[in-house]
Amino acid sequence: MPDDAWPARVRARQGREIPAEFVLWLRLSETAIHLADLDLGYDFARVAELLGDEFEIVVGNAIGMYGGELPSVLLVAVGEDGTRHEWRMGTGEPVTLTGSPGDVLAWITGRSDGSTLDGTAPPLPHWL
């Protein structure tokens, strides 16, 4: 696409407008999540590792897909090397949930009940 087309506004599946360039991040997110869903040797821990620097963006995209209907949570992913990522969701006093990148990715995409996270994970709305 020409450079001036990337900021064009397009409609996402849920109807909200997003810049066209954001579609690339959405496809990366979808591909990563379904790689684990296929159960061909890639669990969410491995997928989070493969995402590398893009992990934070993929989790942020997943949070955004709920459209603001999330419970109040401070979500914290801590990697084996001590790398820490945080996302604030919902309103009000947050519950803190902490876990490995893979466990965080599995919970926020509705593939886990959050029982592997530290803290009591509230139920999430239906994914997409």
Side-chain angles (χ1 to χ4, degrees):
M1 286 180 30
D3 289 345
D4 62 343
W6 289 106
R9 304 300 287 180
V10 297
R11 290 210 182 275
R13 182 180 307 164
Q14 295 80 15
R16 68 184 169 122
E17 285 193 9
I18 59 173
E21 64 187 322
F22 192 63
V23 173
L24 294 174
W25 297 114
L26 292 176
R27 293 297 71 88
L28 172 64
S29 299
E30 183 178 20
T31 301
I33 292 162
H34 292 314
L35 183 60
D37 288 343
L38 290 171
D39 195 24
L40 296 172
Y42 290 88
D43 59 11
F44 279 98
R46 179 77 174 121
V47 169
E49 182 183 317
L50 286 172
L51 287 170
D53 293 340
E54 309 308 323
F55 169 75
E56 188 166 10
I57 292 169
V58 170
V59 173
N61 287 344
I63 291 168
M65 297 307 288
Y66 286 100
E69 301 173 14
L70 289 166
S72 183
V73 171
L74 175 63
L75 185 59
V76 181
V78 181
E80 290 181 14
D81 63 355
T83 302
R84 183 180 175 97
H85 302 280
E86 294 185 7
W87 301 267
R88 177 71 167 78
M89 306 174 335
T91 59
E93 188 62 31
V95 171
T96 299
L97 298 178
T98 305
S100 71
D103 290 341
V104 164
L105 185 59
W107 180 72
I108 199 60
T109 59
R111 273 54 176 193
S112 159
D113 64 5
S115 60
T116 58
L117 300 170
D118 292 333
T120 303
L124 291 170
H126 182 59
W127 173 252
L128 300 178

